[in-house]
Each structure stands twice: as C-alpha cells, then as structure tokens.
C-alpha cells in the first residue's frame, strides 16, 4: 500500500471500531484487507461472502466520509471474496470467526450447562433486509451484555433464524467470558423443568439455577400462555435478572402486544427495551442463503436454477433447506451433474402436491394476449416507453409471466427488453399489491389468465 492508502485504511479501521461496536468490528471489519485504491475505487478483500451485505449497508458510508478526508473526493468500493494470506489470518486470530475454533480449547472452563448449539454463530448467519436490525441488536448485546437492549425481544414466523441468533449471542459471549452462566432454553423445556421441580419439591434448586444466570436466552415465549403458575415463576425470574442487569433475550412468533393469553405485567416487561421483527428473506437474501447452503453438496447449480428456487420458495430458511434436500435426492436419482430449472421444478413437485407444475405457455404468448387486451403491441411492451397505459400492460405481462411459467426473473427480464431481475420483481410485487385494492384490475388479469389457459 502507498502511504496515502495506509492513512486511509488506518483511519477507516479507527472510525469503524467506534462506530459499529466491538464484536461487529472484530467479525466483519478487522479480517478485511485493503488491496489497493485505483481510479477512486478501493478494492477490499473479504474472507466470506456472507459479510458482503454488512459492508454494503454499514461500512461503505464510513469509506465515503474518509475518502473525502484523505483524498478530497469520493471513494467507491469493489469487493473480492476469498481466503486471506496466512499472515493476515494470524493478525486477525482474535476475530469472532476464529473464536469459534478456539471454543474447543476453552470449553472445559465452562462448567455451567448452557444448552448452546455450537454450530450457530454470526459467521454462518445470512444477513438480509428482513433480519438486519435483529442481527445488529444481537451483536450489540454481545458487546455489553445486560446494558445494550435488555430485554431484547425478537419476533417473527418459524424458520427465520430466531433460534440461530439466540445461540450466536450465547456462543459469542461465552467466547469472551468462558465462565459466564449462560443458558439457552425453549419455553417448553422451561415449563417442563418447572413442573418437575414442583412435583419433586426442588423449587429452591430451580430458582437457584435461573435467578443466578448471567444470560437467559429463551425461545418461543408464546408457549407460556395459559400456564399461570409458570408465568408467576418466570415473572419473578425476569425481575431478578433484570434488576441485576443480566442479559435477557426472548423470541416469539408474534409481537408482545399480540400475546393476548399472557398477563399484561409480563407483556409490558417483554417490551421494556428493544423489540425487533424478523421478516421472511427477500429475493436477494434467499439467493445468498441458497448459494451458502449448496456448498455442502457436490453438484453445480445453474444461475437460473438458483433464482428459480429463490422465487419458488419465499417463506423461510427452513423450507429452503428442505427443498435443497429434495433437489439433492433428485440429483442422485437422475445422476445429474448440473442442476437445471427443470430438475428443480421436478424435485419441488415431489416435495408437495401443492407445488406449482411447469406451465409451457411461452412468454411471447403472454405478451401478445396482454397486448391485445390493452391495445398495445409486443414491441411496445418490450420497449423503454413509459406512458401510463403501456407501463400497466408491461407490468401485467411481467406479473403473468412469473405466475404462469417456471422462468426465472433473469429469463423474464431478457424477454422484456433486457430488464434486470429487480425490475421484474418490482413489477410483479406492484401488480400483486394493486390487485388487493383494485377489484377491476383483478377481473382484467383473471380474464387474460382464462384466455391463456
């Protein structure tokens, strides 16, 4: 690096350390390496694909600021994903990613049974728009347990990563404080332990265990509903830990205000500090999840097949993992070396009778039928012209192309004048939302559908 590049990078590291928090800095920032700055573009090497989104969302703003400080002009970024040199790995050996490896050595010091899943870490959690606030909040709690966001309440549907994040927090804190009393527990197991302690007359031991924790990570608190005695005991445990400034993180499938079967005094405590919502992964995040998961399999996915699967399974990560297992089985049965859209569609159809079947309606046929209905030509639909009636026809054609065919968004975009997948998704989502509010539009689209079928 030139002296000016070194000045730029050191200033960035210094500012990032104070801006993003210590654990986020150790995991996301410190392992990175500035390769060079040419033509006002900083090329930065990251050691893992899953860290890219954090850099794009958080670090690039700092780079812009420091670019003007050091070079008096905007510095843009280019990322290279790959293994760092051995010397760099040694310098960064105290990062969270490396702490995961060191856990094997330090674990004997941990005498308290934490129930943590050792495979869940921030390093293998795919961050996206639907979970970025939850990830940031969890990282903050590992930096100052009991101080930052206490309690932290995370809610969202099944299979979105709530359990992964709870364990990632516990593992990160345990790496920093091997003797900390950390406990991950599902609400079902908490209830079972309480009932057993009541039956055996060992409530003193039960209270001793839970009221002396440093970190309580409890999953699915909605299952405390209609269990009055357990609710009373949990209320007292919660108060004791909170008064001692011990970290509490809870998850649920619904927001605190929607926990109607729990007493108000518990619900209000759940919402005392920060409540964050995890939503299903968007298209880009689903693609990233698939690309990460397929590394464990010995087959090659076509890009269109990855996008097709990401479009098809849009509910949660658990469903994506299940779909990949079906694809793996179909691949072995057919002895396929490359995963195509057709193979993915076949595997998903075998997964559930409700899965969509391949429809062979050509996109051009859809464009022609939509054009006839709205009085425009296929050439106009593919063009860049944007009069209101033409824009609507184009968006409806894109919507139907995604609804009635198995083509990926990339393929659909090519058939509409070379538009990219984000434009296709925008058009699709816009029409889908409009149909819920505009009955006449729904009737129009269903009329076109009936003509095509």
């Amino acid at each position: 690096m030139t002296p000016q590049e070194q000045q730029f990078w050191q200033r960035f590291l210094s500012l990032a350390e104070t801006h993003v928090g210590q654990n986020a800095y150790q995991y996301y920032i410190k392992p990175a390496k500035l390769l060079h700055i040419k033509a006002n573009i900083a090329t930065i090497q990251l050691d893992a694909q899953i860290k890219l989104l954090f850099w794009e969302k958080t670090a690039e703003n700092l780079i812009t600021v420091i670019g003007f400080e050091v070079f008096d002009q905007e510095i843009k970024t280019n990322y290279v994903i790959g293994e760092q040199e051995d010397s760099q790995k040694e310098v960064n050996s105290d990062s969270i990613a490396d702490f995961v490896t060191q856990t094997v050595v330090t674990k004997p010091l941990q005498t308290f049974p934490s129930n943590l899943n050792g495979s869940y870490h921030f390093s293998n959690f795919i961050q996206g728009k639907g979970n970025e606030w939850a990830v940031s909040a969890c990282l903050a709690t590992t930096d100052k347990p009991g101080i930052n966001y206490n309690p932290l309440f995370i809610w969202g549907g099944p299979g979105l990563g709530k359990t992964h994040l709870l364990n990632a927090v516990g593992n990160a804190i345990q790496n920093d404080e091997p003797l900390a009393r950390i406990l991950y527990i599902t609400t079902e197991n908490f209830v079972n332990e309480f009932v057993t302690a009541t039956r055996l007359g060992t409530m003193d031991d039960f209270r001793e265990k839970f009221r002396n924790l440093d970190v309580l990570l409890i999953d699915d608190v909605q299952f405390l509903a209609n269990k009055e005695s357990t609710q009373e005991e949990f209320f007292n445990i919660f108060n004791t830990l909170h008064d001692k400034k011990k970290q509490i993180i809870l998850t649920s499938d619904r927001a605190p205000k929607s926990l109607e079967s729990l007493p108000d005094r518990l619900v209000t405590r759940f919402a005392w500090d920060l409540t964050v919502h995890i939503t299903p992964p968007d298209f880009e995040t689903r693609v990233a999840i698939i690309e990460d998961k397929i590394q464990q399999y010995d087959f090659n996915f076509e890009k269109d097949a990855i996008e097709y699967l990401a479009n098809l399974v849009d509910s949660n990560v658990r469903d994506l993992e299940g779909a990949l297992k079906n694809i793996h089985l179909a691949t072995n049965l057919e002895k396929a070396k490359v995963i195509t859209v057709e193979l993915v569609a076949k595997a998903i159809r075998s997964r559930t009778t409700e899965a969509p079947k391949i429809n062979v309606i050509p996109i051009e046929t859809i464009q022609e039928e939509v054009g006839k209905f709205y009085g425009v030509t296929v050439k106009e639909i593919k063009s860049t012209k944007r009069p209101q009636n033409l824009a609507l026809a184009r968006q409806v054609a894109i919507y139907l192309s995604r609804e009635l065919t198995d083509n990926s968004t990339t393929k659909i975009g090519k058939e509409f004048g070379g538009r990219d997948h984000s434009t296709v998704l925008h058009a699709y989502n816009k029409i889908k939302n409009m149909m819920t509010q505009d009955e006449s539009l729904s009737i129009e689209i269903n009329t076109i559908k009936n003509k095509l079928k």
Side-chain angles (χ1 to χ4, degrees):
M1 281 192 285
T2 67
Q4 203 169 19
E5 287 174 342
Q6 289 179 345
Q7 179 189 357
F8 169 87
W9 191 241
Q10 290 304 316
R11 173 62 177 143
F12 166 73
L13 293 177
S14 175
L15 190 60
E17 187 170 13
T18 59
H19 181 78
V20 304
Q22 190 58 224
N23 276 302
Y25 173 80
Q26 291 288 345
Y27 171 55
Y28 287 106
I29 303 295
K30 195 172 181 182
K33 181 180 180 182
L34 176 65
L35 299 180
H36 53 73
I37 300 176
K38 295 180 180 178
N40 297 334
I41 297 175
T43 299
I44 298 169
Q45 186 179 55
L46 306 181
D47 60 351
Q49 178 73 34
I50 60 175
K51 298 184 180 182
L52 179 60
L53 185 61
F54 179 88
W55 275 79
E56 291 175 340
K57 297 288 185 184
T58 305
E60 285 188 1
N61 292 332
L62 300 178
I63 286 174
T64 299
V65 170
I66 296 162
F68 282 106
E69 278 187 20
V70 177
F71 295 98
D72 198 27
Q73 55 192 341
E74 182 180 5
I75 298 296
K76 296 184 178 180
T77 53
N78 175 52
Y79 299 104
V80 175
I81 311 297
E83 289 293 324
Q84 297 192 15
E85 298 174 0
D86 291 342
S87 59
Q88 184 69 11
K89 286 183 178 180
E90 292 173 8
V91 170
N92 293 326
S93 61
D94 59 345
S95 68
I96 287 179
D98 294 312
F99 270 140
V100 174
T101 304
Q102 293 175 14
T103 302
V104 177
V105 178
T106 61
K107 202 165 185 178
L109 295 174
Q110 176 67 23
T111 57
F112 186 82
S114 66
N115 298 334
L116 290 170
N117 186 326
S119 64
Y120 287 149
H121 297 274
F122 291 111
S123 60
N124 56 10
F125 186 85
I126 306 296
Q127 183 179 336
K129 291 180 180 178
N131 59 37
E132 60 186 347
W133 288 106
V135 173
S136 297
C138 286
L139 279 166
T141 64
T142 65
D143 217 25
K144 294 181 180 178
I147 305 299
N148 290 336
Y149 309 134
N150 194 31
L152 172 60
F153 190 98
I154 305 171
W155 69 279
L160 298 180
K162 301 186 298 295
T163 299
H164 189 138
L165 284 176
L166 284 183
N167 281 272
V169 168
N171 285 318
I173 295 174
Q174 190 179 82
N175 285 329
D176 289 338
E177 299 290 339
L179 296 179
R181 295 171 65 87
I182 302 167
L183 179 66
Y184 165 80
I185 190 168
T186 64
T187 297
E188 180 183 6
N189 285 339
F190 177 85
V191 172
N192 290 340
E193 285 196 30
F194 172 76
V195 171
T196 300
T198 302
R199 180 170 56 84
L200 298 178
T202 56
M203 281 304 298
D204 287 344
D205 293 338
F206 179 87
R207 292 176 179 131
E208 172 74 16
K209 171 183 176 179
F210 282 94
R211 297 187 187 190
N212 288 288
L213 292 172
D214 295 307
V215 180
L216 173 60
L217 310 164
I218 184 160
D219 224 345
D220 293 322
V221 292
Q222 71 272 10
F223 292 127
L224 283 173
N226 303 316
K227 297 177 177 65
E228 293 183 6
S229 297
T230 311
Q231 290 170 4
E232 179 69 26
E233 190 59 42
F234 186 77
F235 174 80
N236 292 325
I237 290 169
F238 185 101
N239 285 342
T240 300
L241 294 179
H242 194 270
D243 288 346
K244 291 180 176 179
K245 291 184 170 46
K246 302 301 183 181
Q247 184 66 52
I248 304 168
I249 306 182
L250 315 98
T251 74
S252 172
D253 65 354
R254 65 206 73 174
K257 63 182 180 181
S258 298
L259 295 168
E260 298 173 354
S261 299
L262 293 182
D264 288 344
R265 62 178 186 164
L266 261 184
V267 172
T268 55
R269 278 164 173 75
F270 290 168
W272 261 352
D273 203 317
L274 183 64
T275 297
V276 290
H277 184 199
I278 292 184
T279 58
D282 60 12
F283 175 80
E284 287 79 7
T285 307
R286 295 196 300 275
V287 168
I289 291 169
I290 294 168
E291 289 176 341
D292 179 67
K293 298 293 182 185
I294 63 178
Q295 293 180 24
Q296 64 185 285
Y297 297 110
D298 186 25
F299 49 59
N300 181 34
F301 253 91
E302 288 184 348
K303 183 179 179 182
D304 279 359
I306 291 176
E307 291 187 356
Y308 172 72
L309 180 58
N311 279 324
L312 196 61
V313 184
D314 59 1
S315 51
N316 59 58
V317 179
R318 203 169 293 154
D319 285 347
L320 277 176
E321 290 174 336
L324 285 171
K325 289 178 182 178
N326 280 80
I327 294 167
H328 184 223
L329 176 61
T331 303
N332 289 336
L333 288 174
E334 299 200 7
K335 296 181 171 27
K337 294 183 179 179
V338 178
I339 309 303
T340 63
V341 169
E342 290 75 18
L343 184 56
V344 170
K346 183 176 181 179
I348 298 304
R349 282 202 305 278
S350 69
R351 180 175 170 80
T352 170
T353 56
E354 297 177 358
K357 296 181 179 180
I358 293 181
N359 194 315
V360 294
I361 301 173
I363 291 176
E364 187 174 2
T365 301
I366 295 173
Q367 293 169 336
E368 289 172 354
E369 201 60 52
V370 171
K372 289 177 187 176
F373 190 89
Y374 288 105
V376 298
T377 66
V378 172
K379 185 177 180 180
E380 288 176 320
I381 288 175
K382 292 183 176 182
S383 72
T384 57
K385 297 177 182 177
R386 302 182 67 180
Q388 188 171 358
N389 69 317
L390 181 55
L392 177 62
R394 182 182 298 123
Q395 289 166 348
V396 167
I398 289 173
Y399 172 83
L400 290 172
S401 296
R402 192 170 175 212
E403 284 285 303
L404 301 178
T405 79
D406 284 326
N407 289 294
S408 67
T409 53
T410 301
K411 171 67 173 172
I412 293 171
K414 287 179 181 177
E415 296 296 324
F416 283 83
R419 289 171 167 82
D420 60 26
H421 75 84
S422 61
T423 302
V424 172
L425 285 175
H426 172 74
Y428 175 81
N429 290 327
K430 182 175 181 180
I431 295 299
K432 189 175 181 180
N433 292 333
M434 287 174 65
M435 288 174 66
T436 64
Q437 303 168 15
D438 188 342
E439 186 178 357
S440 62
L441 178 62
S442 294
I443 293 172
E444 290 175 4
I445 290 175
N446 285 328
T447 300
I448 299 171
K449 269 187 180 181
N450 291 332
K451 291 182 178 181
L452 287 165
K453 290 181 177 179

